[in-house]
Amino acid sequence: SSGWMKRIMASVQAGDQVLSPVHKSQVLKELAVGLNVEEVSARAKALFQPVTRFLLPDSKTTAFVTKPEGKPEGESEEDDFSEEELLKVIKKGLSNPLPPDTTDIPKELLSIETLKAIEEKLAPTVEAREADDTSQVVRITLSNGMRVAYRQNDNRPNEVRIRLQGFGGRALETIDTQGLAVAASATWVNGGCGGYSPDVVSKFAAMSGITYDASCGSESLTLDLVVQTSVE
């Protein structure tokens, strides 16, 4: 399901292991062999000493600078990071700030020309059309065999909801193709588009009022898309 896939992706992105609590406890016990309280306490004191100094009454503002252990080849003792160099970098950053990440979001993921080229290549045609006056549902059969049903919702005039559903899902997988249905739903939720990374696509959707989701069942694969529009 989409919820299961989201939990796995969130665990991977957070660096968490996809393990049960029992297995996690077992891994920690194996890694903890040889450690003792004194060793952990001494290491923690050394790591957190710069932070805990802020609590002292006579403490002053401190900048934390990390650097590789040892001298890289070609550097001398004079190349150490000094307070003067730190202030120089800060002044340069304040005078020429980097634009926020939101400005890197493209105005469109695919150009109109690209979409028209796809449309001309596929050349879809309507083979059959049937309208139900009672439910106001219009059913269309396309030349590629795909069946489409749509209805205008007057209660949501500025919203378009699209659901693509392919029958089959995991029930049609074989030994050689097992996992493809789940991979397809994961690609829909976490995949890129138009040469842009999944992160850029996610930001573009958030800024454009677009939401999308996918679910993989035993008998079907469902892709959902909700778009907010400026015209009714």
Side-chain angles (χ1 to χ4, degrees):
S1 66
S2 61
W4 179 77
M5 285 299 303
K6 286 182 178 179
R7 287 195 294 270
I8 288 186
M9 296 303 298
S11 297
V12 173
Q13 291 174 357
D16 192 13
Q17 302 88 1
V18 188
L19 299 173
S20 66
V22 176
H23 289 161
K24 284 186 178 182
S25 177
Q26 182 178 354
V27 171
L28 290 176
K29 288 180 180 179
E30 294 177 357
L31 294 176
V33 175
L35 292 178
N36 54 62
V37 176
E38 291 74 16
E39 182 180 356
V40 174
S41 298
R43 183 57 177 166
K45 181 179 179 181
L47 291 175
F48 289 100
Q49 184 179 11
V51 180
T52 56
R53 282 187 56 82
F54 281 106
L55 302 177
L56 301 177
D58 59 342
S59 63
K60 298 181 180 180
T61 303
T62 305
F64 300 95
V65 179
T66 60
K67 56 188 302 184
E69 294 183 2
K71 288 290 181 183
E73 186 178 354
E75 289 192 8
S76 61
E77 294 295 336
E78 287 74 18
D79 296 324
D80 280 339
F81 200 85
S82 62
E83 180 179 355
E84 180 182 357
E85 183 67 18
L86 173 62
L87 295 177
K88 180 180 178 181
V89 171
I90 294 176
K91 183 178 179 180
K92 181 180 179 181
L94 293 176
S95 61
N96 187 24
L98 295 175
D101 294 338
T102 52
T103 60
D104 296 335
I105 302 176
K107 294 182 179 180
E108 55 186 19
L109 297 178
L110 292 175
S111 64
I112 299 297
E113 291 74 16
T114 301
L115 294 176
K116 287 184 176 180
I118 296 175
E119 180 182 1
E120 293 176 358
K121 181 179 180 180
L122 298 178
T125 58
V126 177
E127 298 293 328
R129 185 181 187 278
E130 179 184 357
D132 188 330
D133 295 334
T134 303
S135 62
Q136 296 183 343
V137 174
V138 179
R139 293 179 175 86
I140 294 175
T141 301
L142 300 179
S143 54
N144 59 1
M146 180 178 290
R147 292 176 295 176
V148 180
Y150 74 89
R151 180 176 69 89
Q152 182 173 347
N153 187 354
D154 295 332
N155 296 323
R156 294 178 177 271
N158 298 104
E159 181 180 274
V160 177
R161 289 177 173 264
I162 301 175
R163 166 166 287 189
L164 301 177
Q165 191 167 43
F167 294 102
R170 296 193 299 269
L172 294 183
E173 292 181 348
T174 65
I175 296 179
D176 296 329
T177 62
Q178 60 182 351
L180 289 182
V182 176
S185 63
T187 301
W188 172 255
V189 176
N190 302 290
C193 178
Y196 295 103
S197 66
D199 183 56
V200 174
V201 174
S202 177
K203 291 180 180 179
F204 174 85
M207 297 294 292
S208 305
I210 300 173
T211 58
Y212 51 92
D213 197 6
S215 60
C216 177
S218 298
E219 299 180 353
S220 65
L221 177 64
T222 304
L223 311 176
D224 290 306
L225 178 68
V226 181
V227 181
Q228 305 299 327
T229 65
S230 57
V231 295
E232 296 185 4

